[in-house]
């Protein structure tokens, strides 16, 4: 398969990305152009592992910084509403997210909606998003979602039972800081699941119908970099900082690839399945990936051959072996889906599914769900 074009019609890349061990503890020079009132949105683990104090100590004026702790799990519309209220009360010059994909999505959506006149529910339901003027900075503590590379926030509406994204170019991070010290503190099961999210995103972006030469280069190198370093770190948590930094950078490259090429059927399935089984997104993606590779095999055979070449083994074998080595077991094997019609409809309506190299029918999705839940 040859990519049809060199570049996507529009490039949206964070204007500044800084990499380096310890860099998150020395951000004052990077943040000063935005102003002194910094609101730090973070996950709970940051308060216990010492990183929150280290980051606050590295600001030029700690006393003018605010903090907002995300309760945990993937963000809901209620949590965004709460965070937006906190931001409006604080009036930040800049919002800095330090955390995994959930924290980054929560903070990104909240900063993006700080001056928005309608409810979060209205924008999640499709109302046009106003342009945000609130600078947003992303400092990932996991290597997985690629949220730091995109202007997308994935949010769950618990009232309607729907998980989907809001997106606007003005929500793109103005600054990204990739610090391997933060990733080193990531628990093993989170590292494994989020790493498989990054790997899946690289693979799906590479074979996507929206792929370009630009996204192909990022996706292919991202897949190889994530795979090599994820396996190395999972087996040796004392691996050097370079391995952690490469994993962060590979995940970031996969994020840049997916934001310009979109994804595929794994991510079409992952939102409805993840919501129903309350399973981590990366785990759902990793577990669904082998079935989707089999489904797509003929439609993207040349690209899967290239992927197999850079991974040092057949893409399907490599993926299944990685899941075993990482200890990732299916969260839905042996379980029933109560509302399979709704899951099928959500999967088929997903923009990710529409970018899949082979477009699935309703029957294809039903059969895939049956296989995944067997
Ligand atoms: Fe993902």
């Amino acid at each position: 398969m040859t990519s049809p074009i060199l570049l996507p019609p529009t490039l949206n890349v964070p204007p500044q990305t800084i990499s380096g061990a310890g860099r998150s503890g020395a951000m004052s020079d990077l943040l000063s152009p935005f102003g002194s009132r910094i609101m730090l949105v973070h996950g709970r683990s940051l308060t216990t592992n010492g990183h929150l104090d280290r980051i606050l100590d590295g600001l030029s004026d700690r006393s003018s910084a605010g903090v907002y702790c995300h309760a945990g799990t993937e963000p809901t519309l209620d949590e965004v509403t709460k965070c937006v209220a906190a931001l409006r009360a604080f009036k930040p010059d800049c919002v800095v997210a330090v955390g995994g994909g959930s924290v980054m999505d929560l903070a990104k959506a909240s900063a993006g909606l700080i001056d928005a006149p309608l409810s979060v529910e209205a924008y999640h339901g499709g109302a046009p998003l106003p342009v945000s003027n609130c600078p947003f900075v992303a400092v990932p503590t996991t290597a997985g979602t690629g949220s730091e590379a995109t202007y997308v926030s994935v949010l769950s509406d618990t009232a309607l039972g729907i998980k989907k994204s809001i997106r606007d170019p003005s929500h793109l991070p103005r600054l990204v800081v990739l610090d391997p010290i933060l990733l080193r503190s990531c628990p093993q099961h989170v590292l494994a699941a989020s790493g498989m999210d990054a790997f899946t995103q690289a693979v799906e972006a590479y074979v996507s119908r929206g792929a370009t030469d630009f996204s192909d280069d990022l996706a292919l190198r991202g897949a190889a970099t994530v795979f090599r370093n994820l396996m190395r770190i999972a087996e040796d948590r004392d691996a050097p900082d370079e391995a952690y930094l490469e994993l962060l950078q590979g995940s970031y490259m996969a994020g840049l690839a997916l934001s310009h090429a979109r994804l595929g059927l794994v991510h079409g399935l992952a939102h409805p399945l993840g919501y129903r089984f309350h399973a981590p997104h990366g785990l759902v993606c990793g577990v669904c990936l082998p079935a989707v590779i089999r489904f797509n095999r003929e439609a993207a055979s040349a690209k899967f051959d290239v992927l197999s070449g850079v991974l040092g083994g057949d893409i399907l074998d490599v993926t299944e072996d990685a899941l075993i080595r990482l200890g990732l077991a299916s969260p839905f094997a042996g379980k029933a889906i109560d509302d399979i019609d709704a899951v099928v409809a959500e999967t088929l309506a997903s923009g990710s599914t529409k970018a899949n190299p082979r477009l699935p029918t309703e029957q294809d999705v039903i059969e895939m769900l049956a296989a995944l839940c067997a």
Side-chain angles (χ1 to χ4, degrees), residues 173-262:
R174 303 267 186 98
L175 166 70
V176 180
V177 177
L178 303 177
D179 182 350
I181 303 295
L182 294 171
L183 184 58
R184 196 176 274 287
S185 303
C186 182
Q188 182 82 351
H189 67 285
V190 178
L191 186 109
S194 53
M196 282 308 288
D197 185 22
F199 181 69
T200 303
Q201 290 175 169
V203 171
E204 290 214 285
Y206 188 58
V207 299
S208 164
R209 287 169 173 261
T212 59
D213 291 336
F214 171 81
S215 62
D216 278 356
D217 288 350
L218 290 163
L220 194 61
R221 193 171 287 274
T225 304
V226 167
F227 175 73
R228 183 177 67 250
N229 291 287
L230 178 61
M231 291 301 131
R232 178 179 182 187
I233 292 169
E235 284 158 18
D236 175 18
R237 291 304 307 259
D238 293 326
D241 285 344
E242 288 76 16
Y244 285 88
L245 182 57
E246 283 195 16
L247 182 52
L248 278 171
Q249 291 179 333
S251 172
Y252 180 61
M253 291 166 79
L256 289 173
L258 80 86
S259 74
H260 294 89
R262 304 227 48 170

Side-chain angles (χ1 to χ4, degrees), residues 144-145 197-198 200-201 258 263 267 271 281-282 285:
T145 67
D197 185 22
T200 303
Q201 290 175 169
L258 80 86
L263 290 159
H267 279 77
H271 288 180
H281 173 74
C285 287

Side-chain angles (χ1 to χ4, degrees), residues 280-320:
H281 173 74
L283 174 63
V284 174
C285 287
V287 167
C288 290
L289 182 58
V292 173
I293 290 173
R294 282 191 200 91
F295 180 76
N296 287 335
R297 193 91 207 207
E298 290 304 312
S301 59
K303 280 198 159 178
F304 281 127
D305 288 347
V306 176
L307 269 170
S308 298
V310 301
L311 294 171
D314 182 81
I315 175 73
L316 188 56
D317 297 339
V318 163
T319 303
E320 291 182 324

Side-chain angles (χ1 to χ4, degrees), residues 85-119:
L87 296 184
R88 285 176 180 166
F90 183 75
K91 296 183 174 54
D93 295 322
C94 167
V95 173
V96 179
V98 187
S102 297
V103 170
M104 286 190 285
D105 281 6
L106 171 71
K108 189 194 298 177
S110 302
L113 296 176
I114 190 169
D115 295 318
L118 303 181
S119 67

